[in-house]
Amino acid sequence: MADNVQINIDGKIIECPVIVGTEGERAIDISKLRTQSGLITMDPGFGNTGACQSAITYLDGDKGFLRYRGIPVEQLAENSTFVETSYLLIYGRLPNAQELEAFSDAFNEHSMIHEDMVNFFHAYPSTTHPMAILSAMVCAMSAYYPEFIKEEPTKQEINRIAVQLLSKVRTICAFSYKKSIGEPFVYPRHDLHYVHNFLNMMFSSPTNPYQIDDDVVNALQMLLILHADHEQNCSTSTVRLVGSSHANLYASISAGICALWGPLHGGANQAVIEMLEMIHKDGGDFNKYIAKAKDKSNTFRLMGFGHRVYKNFDPRARVIKKCADNLFNKLGINDPLLDLAKRIEEAVLKDEYFIERKLYPNVDFYSGIIFRAIGIPLNMFPVMFAIGRLPGWIAHWKEMIDDPTSKIGRPYQIYTGSLKKDYVPIEQR
Ligand code: ACO
């Protein structure tokens, strides 16, 4: 295996080291290319660019597997809890019983949000998308905990913000839902575990306490674990980029939430259900929509299909589809959208257009159907993704801050605008 790659630029040989990861992945280190040759590399969408070295998550898009800190995500989805998986991602290993108990206790300690922040919710129109509230509230937390807003927080301070964020974000999300339906907020309870607590804050009301269903709790727990990290995706790269300027963790996570919101990323779970509803209302003729997605003169895309990295299948989609089937059987739910989704998947997997381009169902294709069955409203779907992705964002921010070699993120460009010209006063234009 070569240690170096030579690039011949106008007869000048530039030696670029090859970096090899623990799983044998290889990268050409071009970090000295510009200073040695004056050239930069172009890679729109960063399809071939490694922005960092990371020990958090490994995925193989061709083989279709995903591991957090070495552990296959399917094993975590089956056996772990979201709190334990968060610990694993943030601290690099599974906790022992004492560590897990201390971590869970810290969640309880930090579950309330400052009562002044509660007033913010009342200032938003009830039609506000909960992602807007979430990103604003997370950034606003920096105003309430200014003691942590410093350029070099200690390890202890970072740990405190991490657990604070994990716990408070869940409360903020539930409050934003309550605000949207005009119901009084339900405060967090110390006697309930993470997912129970969230469902209780979402669905309990003074007249109708929420009846906890273990199947629902397990399904949500599994979904959160499957969303917990996905290496250098759009929102995580955003968190790293913002954090690379040494912006504080609240500000960096708030930016990540905004990046996640888009329908090509975490907003896809909402877009999938909107698409399925549209096809269902239109008589269920999904072939018409598949044809539309293949038509290059049409911008319509089949939401929930395709992935930048997975070119075989998305391992998360497989687990989620199985979970959807089990949950629907257990709860006796018959959702026409689940049947429609399965028929679309079946048709797409046989279609030459999708086969050629290696477009498979991604994590968002079936997750929305489960959120829907649990009773989570459509515009909260990306919020659920954000709750799930939070430990991954924190782990990446922390890894970057701890890395003495990390630098501020600042890509170059190739300028294609006008050549130098003089300013013309307005009366002469
Ligand atoms: N429907 C129809 N055609 C598609 C789809 C789709 N969902 N996805 C990709 N294609 C086609 C493209 O038109 C392109 O065709 P071409 O080669 O003939 O031009 C080819 O497949 C490659 O697509 P790109 O957009 O270049 O792939 P990229 O890696 O940049 O994008 C993405 C990946 C954004 C996920 C894309 O597949 C997509 O838009 N999917 C729908 C939205 C979605 O489900 N997003 C969630 C992703 S998972 C996540 O973020 C958690």
Side-chain angles (χ1 to χ4, degrees):
M1 196 177 288
D3 292 337
N4 280 311
V5 164
Q6 295 183 336
I7 304 179
N8 184 335
I9 300 174
D10 303 331
K12 184 180 173 194
I13 302 293
I14 313 273
E15 295 273 347
C16 296
V18 172
I19 295 174
V20 185
T22 47
E23 290 278 356
E25 291 172 298
R26 295 198 297 163
I28 303 169
D29 177 354
I30 49 100
S31 54
K32 302 272 184 313
L33 184 69
R34 191 183 58 84
T35 47
Q36 291 185 4
S37 69
L39 268 71
I40 59 164
T41 54
M42 273 305 266
D43 186 18
F46 309 125
N48 296 284
T49 296
C52 61
Q53 296 190 46
S54 176
I56 300 170
T57 286
Y58 177 65
L59 65 85
D60 185 321
D62 293 321
K63 297 196 180 110
F65 61 69
L66 171 63
R67 299 174 192 152
Y68 300 158
R69 302 286 187 183
I71 303 175
V73 75
E74 295 86 348
Q75 290 182 22
L76 292 165
E78 176 123 15
N79 304 304
S80 185
T81 62
F82 180 61
V83 172
E84 185 185 55
T85 299
S86 300
Y87 189 105
L88 169 73
L89 284 166
I90 296 170
Y91 300 111
R93 59 172 177 81
L94 288 169
N96 62 31
Q98 260 176 337
E99 287 164 335
L100 186 58
E101 197 186 329
F103 195 53
S104 304
D105 287 349
F107 274 66
N108 271 341
E109 191 193 326
H110 293 292
S111 59
M112 304 279 271
I113 54 174
H114 195 291
E115 200 57 26
D116 286 353
M117 276 183 83
V118 174
N119 294 327
F120 288 178
F121 288 93
H122 302 304
Y124 284 101
S126 59
T127 49
T128 308
H129 196 289
M131 285 296 263
I133 299 182
L134 181 60
S135 64
M137 290 284 190
V138 167
C139 204
M141 278 172 69
S142 58
Y144 289 87
Y145 307 99
E147 65 274 24
F148 298 136
I149 310 306
K150 45 174 89 159
E151 197 176 334
E152 285 183 20
T154 61
K155 275 198 180 359
Q156 227 179 359
E157 285 165 339
I158 292 176
N159 290 344
R160 208 173 155 82
I161 312 177
V163 82
Q164 204 196 44
L165 271 166
L166 284 161
S167 192
K168 290 187 196 307
V169 155
R170 171 190 54 172
T171 309
I172 292 170
C173 294
F175 280 19
S176 68
Y177 170 59
K178 286 294 194 192
K179 161 72 191 168
S180 74
I181 56 169
E183 278 190 9
F185 301 136
V186 176
Y187 281 75
R189 276 173 41 184
H190 282 193
D191 57 322
L192 298 179
H193 290 302
Y194 189 90
V195 175
H196 280 208
N197 217 340
F198 174 70
L199 289 167
N200 187 60
M201 285 191 272
M202 285 282 289
F203 299 122
S204 264
S205 71
T207 50
N208 193 11
Y210 180 66
Q211 298 301 320
I212 297 291
D213 181 316
D214 283 341
D215 292 320
V216 168
V217 170
N218 293 340
L220 189 52
Q221 181 106 261
M222 186 259 335
L223 280 176
L224 295 178
I225 292 171
L226 292 177
H227 284 87
D229 192 42
H230 211 239
E231 47 118 300
Q232 309 308 318
N233 56 84
C234 176
S235 54
T236 304
S237 299
T238 302
V239 170
R240 277 189 176 258
L241 190 63
V242 173
S244 77
S245 73
H246 292 189
N248 64 70
L249 186 51
Y250 303 112
S252 308
I253 298 290
S254 171
I257 292 166
C258 291
L260 186 75
W261 191 356
L264 298 189
H265 189 19
N269 51 18
Q270 179 175 343
V272 167
I273 296 296
E274 283 164 352
M275 176 188 79
L276 292 174
E277 276 173 347
M278 179 173 73
I279 300 175
H280 183 60
K281 273 193 201 132
D282 194 23
D285 179 8
F286 55 85
N287 284 315
K288 187 167 95 187
Y289 289 89
I290 293 179
K292 227 168 139 183
K294 297 193 299 188
D295 176 359
K296 291 291 167 198
S297 64
N298 198 313
T299 54
F300 177 79
R301 279 194 168 192
L302 221 44
M303 300 313 286
F305 281 86
H307 198 277
R308 171 59 61 81
V309 182
Y310 293 119
K311 301 298 175 193
N312 179 336
F313 64 90
D314 183 335
R316 301 166 299 175
R318 219 174 239 185
V319 180
I320 293 175
K321 185 181 175 190
K322 200 168 133 204
C323 168
D325 278 333
N326 290 343
L327 185 70
F328 279 56
N329 281 340
K330 281 194 172 166
L331 300 184
I333 297 175
N334 187 8
D335 186 345
L337 296 197
L338 178 60
D339 297 334
L340 184 58
K342 285 183 180 169
R343 282 160 61 215
I344 293 175
E345 180 187 356
E346 204 183 321
V348 160
L349 293 182
K350 285 190 220 138
D351 190 299
E352 215 33 58
Y353 171 96
F354 291 89
I355 295 171
E356 241 174 51
R357 289 167 181 76
K358 301 188 173 173
L359 303 169
Y360 293 87
N362 58 47
V363 66
D364 292 314
F365 192 58
Y366 286 106
S367 61
I369 290 175
I370 301 183
F371 289 143
R372 198 171 125 96
I374 294 174
I376 291 168
L378 199 53
N379 65 359
M380 285 287 288
F381 289 7
V383 168
M384 301 309 298
F385 197 148
I387 298 177
R389 185 53 55 88
L390 189 53
W393 289 332
I394 295 170
H396 281 272
W397 187 91
K398 195 166 169 290
E399 182 177 64
M400 184 190 60
I401 293 295
D402 286 345
D403 176 1
T405 67
S406 79
K407 291 170 142 201
I408 187 166
R410 201 294 183 194
Y412 279 83
Q413 62 165 25
I414 294 294
Y415 175 67
T416 58
S418 164
L419 292 177
K420 179 175 181 284
K421 56 189 179 193
D422 289 329
Y423 174 78
V424 180
I426 194 155
E427 59 280 5
Q428 292 171 25
R429 279 177 228 157

